[in-house]
Amino acid sequence: MLQGIDSQSAVLAGVVGFVGLVALYFLNFRSGTGHGKSKSSARKGPIALDPDRKIPFKLSEKEEVTSDTRRFRFELQTPAHVLGLPIGQHMYLSARINDSLVVRPYTPVTSDDEIGYFDLVIKVYKAGVHPKFPEGGKMSQYLDQMAIGDTIDVRGPSGKLTYHGQGNIGVKESRTKQEEIRHCTKLGMIAGGTGITPMLQVVRAILKDPQDTTEMWLLFANQTEDDILLREELEEIAEQHEDRFHLWYTVDRPPQVWNFSSGFINEEMIGEHMPTAGPDTQIFMCGPPPMIKFACLPNLEKKSFDSNMWFVF
């Protein structure tokens, strides 16, 4: 209990705190890049997630971002709860679809600065569209068909990496192993498709912390320009923080007018759009396994990166 504060002052402090939280809610809903929120201010409410059991969360809002991309908002147990997902971690959504249990990892686009809810931005892979995946995405279609008030089971947090802030990265291979701490002043990120969501989570956390001066590069690979997820938000961040956040795209099938790269990630792209290898540089990667194995890792090695300088989500 604080000493020397009378009841009237305490009430005033509570009102000011509430107004501040309301203002932060409206400022951060779309961009999530506001300054002045330190890491110590997060997670003030009870934690919603449980790593050992599934928790059902109710769908409260659904927004059509593009023809095949949705933003889903799920309510937590109470308006005072925070999700409790460390930066760099993910959670598992599970549902029984056509008599089979389907489990998929997802990273929300919100953080523990948002109270009482979390948002997912998901690309819906519909059946009969992609020849290689005739059934489409089972979980994404299931979420798209959910009605307001329906619930989805979630378990977490999970993951081997935690971004602790100010360039400090924790890597823990298992619960029984000791966490390895890495430090960087330059952070490169290579994302493919929906692999952008954990990268955006880290970018937002860095830019929210006025004491975090980490410089960031993002190379984002997609099949077509229309497939670029969260493009508006990424370009808004790049415009607002052009000295700290360097954004570049590559697509397999570019349009006639295209000012970025085309084709698979190669040595030239990494040389031009990633930081140089060194003791203060780290590279995060998240995307399809063939992209990581055949495009990212061999070309990072050509640029003198080693396994202590990268992490694959």
Coordinates of all heavy atoms in Angstrom, one line a residue, residues 179-230:
E179 N 17.8 -20.7 -20.9 CA 17.6 -19.7 -21.9 C 18.9 -19.1 -22.4 O 19.7 -18.7 -21.5 CB 16.6 -18.6 -21.5 CG 16.2 -17.6 -22.6 CD 15.3 -16.5 -22.1 OE1 15.6 -15.9 -21.0 OE2 14.3 -16.3 -22.8
E180 N 19.1 -19.1 -23.7 CA 20.3 -18.4 -24.2 C 19.9 -17.0 -24.6 O 18.9 -16.7 -25.3 CB 20.7 -19.2 -25.5 CG 21.8 -18.5 -26.3 CD 21.9 -18.9 -27.7 OE1 21.3 -19.9 -28.1 OE2 22.7 -18.3 -28.5
I181 N 20.7 -16.0 -24.1 CA 20.4 -14.6 -24.4 C 21.4 -14.1 -25.5 O 22.6 -14.3 -25.5 CB 20.6 -13.8 -23.1 CG1 19.7 -14.2 -22.0 CG2 20.4 -12.3 -23.5 CD1 18.2 -14.0 -22.4
R182 N 20.7 -13.6 -26.5 CA 21.5 -12.9 -27.6 C 21.1 -11.4 -27.6 O 20.1 -11.0 -27.1 CB 21.1 -13.5 -29.0 CG 21.2 -15.0 -29.1 CD 20.7 -15.5 -30.5 NE 20.8 -16.9 -30.6 CZ 20.4 -17.5 -31.7 NH1 20.0 -16.9 -32.8 NH2 20.5 -18.9 -31.8
H183 N 22.0 -10.6 -28.1 CA 21.8 -9.2 -28.2 C 22.1 -8.7 -29.6 O 23.0 -9.1 -30.3 CB 22.7 -8.4 -27.2 CG 22.4 -7.0 -27.2 ND1 21.3 -6.4 -26.6 CD2 23.1 -5.9 -27.8 CE1 21.4 -5.1 -26.8 NE2 22.4 -4.8 -27.5
C184 N 21.2 -7.7 -30.0 CA 21.5 -7.1 -31.3 C 21.1 -5.6 -31.3 O 20.3 -5.2 -30.5 CB 20.6 -7.8 -32.4 SG 18.9 -7.6 -32.3
T185 N 21.8 -4.9 -32.2 CA 21.4 -3.5 -32.4 C 20.8 -3.4 -33.8 O 20.1 -2.4 -34.2 CB 22.6 -2.6 -32.4 OG1 23.6 -3.0 -33.3 CG2 23.2 -2.6 -31.0
K186 N 21.0 -4.5 -34.6 CA 20.4 -4.6 -36.0 C 19.7 -5.9 -36.1 O 20.2 -6.9 -35.9 CB 21.5 -4.5 -37.0 CG 22.3 -3.2 -37.0 CD 23.5 -3.2 -38.0 CE 24.3 -1.9 -37.9 NZ 25.4 -1.9 -38.9
L187 N 18.4 -5.8 -36.5 CA 17.5 -6.9 -36.6 C 16.9 -7.1 -38.0 O 16.2 -6.2 -38.4 CB 16.4 -6.9 -35.6 CG 15.4 -8.0 -35.6 CD1 16.0 -9.3 -35.3 CD2 14.3 -7.7 -34.6
G188 N 17.3 -8.1 -38.7 CA 16.7 -8.4 -40.0 C 15.6 -9.4 -39.9 O 15.7 -10.3 -39.1
M189 N 14.6 -9.3 -40.7 CA 13.5 -10.2 -40.7 C 13.1 -10.6 -42.1 O 13.0 -9.7 -43.0 CB 12.3 -9.5 -40.0 CG 12.5 -9.3 -38.5 SD 11.2 -8.2 -37.7 CE 11.9 -6.6 -38.2
I190 N 13.0 -11.9 -42.3 CA 12.6 -12.4 -43.6 C 11.3 -13.2 -43.4 O 11.3 -14.2 -42.6 CB 13.7 -13.3 -44.2 CG1 15.0 -12.6 -44.3 CG2 13.2 -13.8 -45.6 CD1 16.2 -13.5 -44.8
A191 N 10.2 -12.8 -44.1 CA 8.9 -13.4 -43.9 C 8.4 -13.8 -45.2 O 8.6 -13.2 -46.2 CB 8.0 -12.4 -43.2
G192 N 7.6 -14.9 -45.2 CA 6.9 -15.4 -46.4 C 5.5 -15.6 -46.0 O 5.1 -16.3 -45.1
G193 N 4.6 -15.0 -46.8 CA 3.1 -15.1 -46.6 C 2.7 -14.8 -45.2 O 3.0 -13.7 -44.7
T194 N 2.0 -15.7 -44.6 CA 1.4 -15.4 -43.2 C 2.5 -15.4 -42.2 O 2.2 -15.1 -41.0 CB 0.4 -16.5 -42.9 OG1 1.0 -17.8 -43.0 CG2 -0.8 -16.4 -43.8
G195 N 3.8 -15.7 -42.5 CA 4.9 -15.6 -41.6 C 5.1 -14.1 -41.2 O 6.0 -13.9 -40.4
I196 N 4.4 -13.2 -41.7 CA 4.6 -11.8 -41.4 C 4.1 -11.5 -39.9 O 4.6 -10.5 -39.3 CB 3.8 -10.9 -42.4 CG1 4.2 -9.4 -42.2 CG2 2.3 -11.1 -42.3 CD1 5.7 -9.1 -42.3
T197 N 3.2 -12.3 -39.4 CA 2.5 -11.8 -38.1 C 3.5 -11.8 -36.9 O 3.5 -10.9 -36.2 CB 1.3 -12.7 -37.8 OG1 1.6 -14.1 -37.9 CG2 0.2 -12.4 -38.8
P198 N 4.4 -12.8 -36.8 CA 5.3 -12.7 -35.6 C 6.3 -11.6 -35.8 O 6.8 -11.0 -34.9 CB 6.0 -14.1 -35.6 CG 5.8 -14.7 -36.9 CD 4.5 -14.2 -37.4
M199 N 6.6 -11.3 -37.1 CA 7.5 -10.1 -37.4 C 6.9 -8.8 -37.0 O 7.5 -8.0 -36.4 CB 7.9 -10.1 -38.9 CG 8.5 -11.4 -39.4 SD 9.9 -12.0 -38.4 CE 10.4 -13.4 -39.4
L200 N 5.6 -8.6 -37.3 CA 4.9 -7.4 -37.0 C 4.8 -7.3 -35.5 O 4.9 -6.2 -34.9 CB 3.6 -7.4 -37.7 CG 2.7 -6.1 -37.4 CD1 3.4 -4.9 -37.9 CD2 1.3 -6.3 -38.1
Q201 N 4.6 -8.4 -34.8 CA 4.5 -8.4 -33.3 C 5.8 -7.8 -32.7 O 5.8 -6.9 -31.8 CB 4.3 -9.8 -32.8 CG 4.2 -9.9 -31.3 CD 4.3 -11.4 -30.9 OE1 5.1 -12.1 -31.4 NE2 3.5 -11.8 -29.9
V202 N 7.0 -8.2 -33.3 CA 8.3 -7.7 -32.8 C 8.5 -6.3 -33.1 O 8.9 -5.5 -32.3 CB 9.4 -8.6 -33.3 CG1 10.8 -8.0 -33.0 CG2 9.3 -10.0 -32.8
V203 N 8.2 -5.9 -34.4 CA 8.3 -4.5 -34.8 C 7.6 -3.6 -34.0 O 8.1 -2.6 -33.5 CB 7.9 -4.4 -36.3 CG1 7.8 -2.9 -36.7 CG2 8.8 -5.1 -37.2
R204 N 6.3 -3.9 -33.7 CA 5.5 -3.0 -32.8 C 6.0 -2.9 -31.4 O 6.1 -1.8 -30.9 CB 4.1 -3.6 -32.8 CG 3.3 -3.3 -34.1 CD 1.9 -4.0 -34.0 NE 1.0 -3.5 -35.0 CZ -0.2 -4.1 -35.2 NH1 -0.5 -5.1 -34.5 NH2 -0.9 -3.6 -36.2
A205 N 6.5 -4.0 -30.9 CA 7.1 -4.0 -29.5 C 8.3 -3.1 -29.5 O 8.5 -2.3 -28.5 CB 7.4 -5.4 -29.1
I206 N 9.1 -3.1 -30.5 CA 10.3 -2.3 -30.5 C 10.0 -0.8 -30.6 O 10.5 0.0 -29.9 CB 11.3 -2.7 -31.7 CG1 11.9 -4.1 -31.4 CG2 12.3 -1.7 -31.9 CD1 12.6 -4.7 -32.5
L207 N 9.0 -0.5 -31.5 CA 8.7 0.9 -31.7 C 7.9 1.5 -30.5 O 7.8 2.7 -30.4 CB 8.0 1.0 -33.0 CG 8.8 0.7 -34.2 CD1 7.9 0.8 -35.5 CD2 10.0 1.7 -34.4
K208 N 7.2 0.6 -29.7 CA 6.5 1.1 -28.6 C 7.4 1.5 -27.4 O 7.0 2.3 -26.5 CB 5.5 0.1 -28.1 CG 4.3 -0.1 -28.9 CD 3.4 -1.2 -28.4 CE 2.1 -1.3 -29.2 NZ 1.3 -2.5 -28.7
D209 N 8.6 1.0 -27.4 CA 9.5 1.2 -26.3 C 10.5 2.3 -26.6 O 11.4 2.1 -27.5 CB 10.3 -0.1 -26.0 CG 11.2 0.0 -24.8 OD1 11.3 1.2 -24.2 OD2 11.8 -1.0 -24.4
P210 N 10.4 3.5 -26.0 CA 11.3 4.6 -26.4 C 12.7 4.3 -26.0 O 13.6 5.0 -26.6 CB 10.7 5.8 -25.5 CG 10.0 5.1 -24.4 CD 9.4 3.9 -25.0
Q211 N 13.0 3.3 -25.2 CA 14.4 3.0 -24.9 C 15.0 2.0 -25.8 O 16.2 1.6 -25.7 CB 14.4 2.5 -23.4 CG 14.0 3.5 -22.4 CD 14.0 3.0 -21.0 OE1 14.9 2.2 -20.7 NE2 13.1 3.4 -20.2
D212 N 14.2 1.4 -26.7 CA 14.6 0.4 -27.7 C 15.0 1.1 -29.0 O 14.2 1.6 -29.7 CB 13.6 -0.6 -27.9 CG 14.1 -1.9 -28.6 OD1 15.1 -1.8 -29.3 OD2 13.6 -3.0 -28.3
T213 N 16.3 1.1 -29.3 CA 16.8 1.8 -30.5 C 17.2 0.8 -31.6 O 17.9 1.2 -32.5 CB 18.0 2.6 -30.1 OG1 19.1 1.8 -29.6 CG2 17.7 3.7 -29.1
T214 N 16.7 -0.4 -31.5 CA 17.1 -1.4 -32.5 C 16.6 -1.0 -33.9 O 15.5 -0.5 -34.1 CB 16.4 -2.8 -32.2 OG1 16.7 -3.1 -30.8 CG2 16.8 -3.9 -33.1
E215 N 17.5 -1.1 -34.9 CA 17.2 -0.8 -36.3 C 16.8 -2.1 -37.0 O 17.3 -3.2 -36.7 CB 18.4 -0.3 -37.0 CG 18.2 0.3 -38.4 CD 19.4 1.0 -39.0 OE1 20.4 1.0 -38.3 OE2 19.2 1.5 -40.1
M216 N 15.7 -2.0 -37.8 CA 15.1 -3.2 -38.4 C 15.0 -3.2 -39.9 O 14.8 -2.1 -40.5 CB 13.6 -3.3 -37.8 CG 13.6 -3.5 -36.3 SD 11.9 -3.2 -35.7 CE 11.9 -1.4 -35.7
W217 N 15.1 -4.3 -40.5 CA 15.0 -4.6 -41.9 C 14.0 -5.7 -42.1 O 14.0 -6.7 -41.4 CB 16.3 -5.0 -42.5 CG 17.3 -3.9 -42.7 CD1 17.7 -3.3 -43.8 CD2 18.2 -3.4 -41.6 NE1 18.7 -2.4 -43.5 CE2 19.1 -2.5 -42.2 CE3 18.3 -3.7 -40.3 CZ2 20.0 -1.8 -41.5 CZ3 19.3 -3.0 -39.5 CH2 20.1 -2.1 -40.1
L218 N 13.0 -5.5 -43.0 CA 12.1 -6.6 -43.3 C 12.0 -6.9 -44.8 O 11.8 -6.0 -45.6 CB 10.7 -6.2 -42.9 CG 9.5 -7.1 -43.2 CD1 9.7 -8.5 -42.6 CD2 8.2 -6.6 -42.8
L219 N 12.3 -8.1 -45.2 CA 12.2 -8.6 -46.6 C 11.0 -9.6 -46.6 O 11.0 -10.6 -45.9 CB 13.5 -9.3 -47.0 CG 13.5 -10.0 -48.4 CD1 13.2 -9.0 -49.5 CD2 14.9 -10.6 -48.6
F220 N 9.9 -9.2 -47.3 CA 8.7 -9.9 -47.2 C 8.4 -10.5 -48.6 O 8.2 -9.8 -49.6 CB 7.6 -8.9 -46.8 CG 6.2 -9.5 -46.5 CD1 6.1 -10.8 -46.3 CD2 5.1 -8.7 -46.4 CE1 4.8 -11.4 -46.0 CE2 3.9 -9.2 -46.1 CZ 3.7 -10.6 -45.9
A221 N 8.3 -11.8 -48.7 CA 8.1 -12.6 -49.9 C 6.7 -13.1 -50.0 O 6.1 -13.6 -49.0 CB 9.1 -13.8 -50.0
N222 N 6.1 -12.9 -51.2 CA 4.7 -13.4 -51.5 C 4.7 -13.9 -52.9 O 5.6 -13.7 -53.7 CB 3.7 -12.3 -51.3 CG 3.5 -12.0 -49.8 OD1 2.7 -12.7 -49.1 ND2 4.2 -11.0 -49.3
Q223 N 3.6 -14.6 -53.2 CA 3.4 -15.1 -54.6 C 3.0 -13.9 -55.6 O 3.6 -13.8 -56.6 CB 2.3 -16.2 -54.7 CG 2.8 -17.5 -54.0 CD 1.8 -18.6 -54.2 OE1 0.9 -18.5 -55.0 NE2 2.0 -19.7 -53.5
T224 N 2.1 -13.1 -55.1 CA 1.6 -11.9 -55.9 C 1.5 -10.7 -55.1 O 1.5 -10.8 -53.8 CB 0.3 -12.2 -56.6 OG1 -0.7 -12.2 -55.6 CG2 0.3 -13.5 -57.3
E225 N 1.4 -9.6 -55.7 CA 1.2 -8.3 -55.0 C -0.1 -8.4 -54.1 O -0.1 -7.9 -53.0 CB 1.1 -7.1 -55.9 CG 1.0 -5.8 -55.3 CD 1.0 -4.6 -56.2 OE1 0.7 -4.9 -57.4 OE2 1.2 -3.5 -55.8
D226 N -1.1 -9.0 -54.6 CA -2.4 -9.0 -53.9 C -2.3 -9.9 -52.6 O -3.1 -9.8 -51.7 CB -3.5 -9.6 -54.8 CG -3.9 -8.6 -55.9 OD1 -3.6 -7.4 -55.7 OD2 -4.5 -9.0 -56.9
D227 N -1.2 -10.8 -52.6 CA -1.1 -11.6 -51.4 C -0.4 -11.0 -50.2 O -0.2 -11.6 -49.2 CB -0.2 -12.9 -51.8 CG -1.0 -13.8 -52.7 OD1 -2.2 -13.9 -52.6 OD2 -0.4 -14.4 -53.6
I228 N 0.1 -9.7 -50.4 CA 0.8 -9.1 -49.3 C -0.1 -8.7 -48.2 O -0.9 -7.8 -48.2 CB 1.5 -7.8 -49.9 CG1 2.5 -8.2 -51.0 CG2 2.3 -7.1 -48.7 CD1 3.2 -7.0 -51.6
L229 N 0.1 -9.5 -47.1 CA -0.8 -9.3 -45.9 C -0.3 -8.1 -45.1 O 0.9 -7.9 -44.9 CB -0.7 -10.6 -45.1 CG -1.7 -10.9 -44.0 CD1 -3.1 -11.0 -44.6 CD2 -1.3 -12.1 -43.2
L230 N -1.3 -7.4 -44.6 CA -1.0 -6.2 -43.7 C -0.1 -5.2 -44.3 O 0.6 -4.4 -43.7 CB -0.3 -6.7 -42.4 CG -1.1 -7.7 -41.5 CD1 -0.3 -8.4 -40.5 CD2 -2.2 -6.9 -40.8

